[in-house]
Amino acid sequence: MNVDGQPTRTIAALPGQGGVSIIDQTRLPFRYERVVLRGLADAARAITDMQVRGAPLIGATAAYGVALALDEGVDLAWACATLAATRPTAVNLAWALARMQSALLPLPAAERCAAAWAEAAAICDEDVEINQAIGRHGAALLQAVAARKAGPVNVLTHCNAGWLATVDWGTALAPVYAAFDAGVPVHVWVDETRPRNQGASLTAWELQQHGVPHTVIADNAGGHLMQHGRVDLCIVGSDRTAANGDVANKIGTYLKALAAFDNGVPFYVALPGSTIDWSLADGRAIPIEERRPDEVTCITGETTAGEVVTVRVAPAGSAAANPAFDVTPARLVSGLVTERGICPASRAGLAGLYPERV
Ligand code: MRU
C-alpha cells in the first residue's frame, strides 16, 4: 500500500546490509519512521514492544529474526525459542518459526544462513499474495451490499487488521481496499481500540493514506450504530482461530460480535490459513496475552504544539487489568474470509477449504 503515494511494505530485508527495515508502529500516527533490525535481540524486542504487531507481520518478523540470528552465529534452536517467547496469542509466530526450522534443519550448517533469508522473503511474498486473495473474496461481500442499497457500504472494523498488521494489503481491510479500488463506495467505522488505540492510530492512518473514507469512533459506539442501521457489515481480523472456527482477536471483538448478532449485522473474520491453530478443538485453550497495566491507565497523544506525550488517565495507585485479546465463539461469526474463499465458522467449513489439514 502507499505511504505518501509511494508503494511500501511493512517489512523488507536490506540487501547486502544484513539488516531488516520495519515501520516503527509505536510512533504512528504522529511520525512515520522506519528502523533497522540488526540482530536477534532487535527482532525479539520489536515484537515484544509492538514496533511490529498484527499476527501475519509478527510471523514475518520472526522469520527474519531467524535469518538475523544465523548471521550473528546464534544457534537456530535458541533463536527460535527466543522469538517464540515474545508474544503468546498470535499463532502465526509459531507457524513461521516451524516453517523456518523445517526449511533449515535438513541443510548443512554452511547453507542455512542464505536459506533463512530466502525463506523469510518467501514468507513475506506469500503473505502479500494471500492477503490479495482474501481481498478478492471479501470484496464480493461489499459488492453485494452495494448492489442492494444506495450510498456507501458501511463497514465496522476493530483494532488494526490492515496492511500494517501484515506485509501488505492486510486481512480485514484487504476486502475494503479491493472494493474501494474497484469503485465501490465504502465508508469504514474505525473502533479506536483501547487500550493501545490501534484503530485510532493505525487503521485511521492507513485508510487516510489510501484515501478511504472513514470515521473513528469510541469503542462503545458500535452497538448504537448497529441498532440504528448504520453498519452494513463488520469485518475483523484474527490472531488465532481454533479448528471449530472460534476466533481470538483484539480485546473488545467479542462485544462487537454480540452487538452484531443482536442486530442482525453480518460479522465476518478475515484470516490467512497460517492463523488457524488446527491443534485446538475450540477457543478455550487459546492463550490470552496479559499486558502491562499502564497501557490502560495511561494514554499517548500529540499536543497542539506537536509534542508526543504520555499522560495518566486513572488515579495513581488504582489497579488495572489488561487482557489483550478475547475469543469470539464461532456461533457469532457469519463467515471466515480466507485466501481460499469464504466458509462457515465451523469445523466442517474450515475442513472444506483446507482438506489437507484434517
Ligand atoms: O496486539 P496486536 O496489535 O498485535 O493485535 C492485532 C489484532 O488483534 C488485530 O485485530 C488483528 O485482527 C489480528 S492480526 C491481522
Side-chain angles (χ1 to χ4, degrees):
M1 307 301 288
N2 289 346
V3 175
D4 297 332
Q6 295 301 314
T8 306
R9 283 187 176 188
T10 54
I11 188 165
L14 298 171
Q17 297 178 42
V20 175
S21 165
I22 60 162
I23 300 169
D24 183 352
Q25 298 192 23
T26 64
R27 306 282 284 162
L28 288 171
F30 315 113
R31 313 276 186 269
Y32 174 76
E33 286 178 6
R34 296 198 77 103
V35 296
V36 178
L37 310 178
R38 300 244 170 242
L40 172 63
D42 285 352
R45 189 171 47 246
I47 298 171
T48 305
D49 293 352
M50 295 177 66
Q51 286 180 306
V52 292
R53 27 69 50 209
L57 182 57
I58 289 171
T61 307
Y64 272 125
V66 170
L68 289 165
L70 296 190
D71 257 1
E72 295 178 296
V74 175
D75 171 64
L76 175 60
W78 176 259
C80 289
T82 303
L83 291 160
T86 50
R87 292 191 72 192
T89 302
V91 77
N92 305 59
L93 175 61
W95 170 87
L97 294 172
R99 176 163 160 175
M100 293 299 283
Q101 283 175 300
S102 61
L104 300 177
L105 282 173
L107 300 178
E111 293 176 21
R112 284 185 183 172
C113 206
W117 285 100
E119 192 67 14
I123 285 174
C124 290
D125 289 344
E126 287 169 30
D127 182 69
V128 178
E129 282 173 28
I130 284 168
N131 297 333
Q132 284 178 313
I134 289 172
R136 281 194 299 277
H137 294 300
L141 299 170
L142 280 72
Q143 277 154 346
V145 175
R148 63 174 156 75
K149 72 168 271 204
V153 178
N154 289 302
V155 179
L156 184 143
T157 193
H158 191 69
C159 192
N160 173 259
W163 73 271
L164 289 169
T166 66
V167 177
D168 207 347
W169 286 100
T171 55
L173 291 190
V176 168
Y177 290 127
F180 178 81
D181 289 352
V184 176
V186 182
H187 166 261
V188 183
W189 296 111
V190 179
D191 282 355
E192 61 177 345
T193 318
R194 278 283 282 152
R196 287 188 67 106
N197 290 325
Q198 289 97 326
S201 60
L202 304 177
T203 299
W205 182 82
E206 65 164 86
L207 289 172
Q208 191 178 65
Q209 288 288 330
H210 199 74
V212 179
H214 62 279
T215 306
V216 179
I217 52 174
D219 287 328
N220 298 328
H224 166 78
L225 293 172
M226 290 186 220
Q227 276 181 328
H228 290 267
R230 299 175 69 187
V231 180
D232 293 305
L233 74 166
C234 303
I235 314 180
V236 301
S238 173
D239 295 84
R240 190 184 298 227
T241 295
N244 73 336
D246 288 351
V247 172
N249 194 51
K250 182 53 56 190
I251 192 77
T253 301
Y254 172 48
L255 289 176
K256 292 299 142 65
L258 284 171
F261 189 78
D262 194 45
N263 289 284
V265 174
F267 189 91
Y268 288 94
V269 181
L271 63 142
S274 53
T275 298
I276 304 165
D277 187 340
W278 298 96
S279 74
L280 295 184
D282 58 49
R284 283 174 297 182
I286 295 176
I288 300 297
E289 180 178 13
E290 281 280 342
R291 293 189 61 87
R292 293 190 326 259
D294 66 315
E295 291 183 350
V296 175
T297 56
C298 298
I299 197 161
T300 299
E302 188 176 41
T303 66
T304 48
E307 190 188 359
V308 178
V309 295
T310 299
V311 297
R312 189 162 43 76
V313 292
S318 282
N322 190 8
F325 299 91
D326 58 25
V327 175
T328 298
R331 66 185 165 78
L332 299 179
V333 177
S334 308
L336 302 174
V337 185
T338 78
E339 73 275 21
R340 296 191 185 181
I342 302 176
C343 72
S346 65
R347 178 171 289 279
L350 282 170
L353 288 185
Y354 300 90
E356 76 280 11
R357 299 307 306 261
V358 288

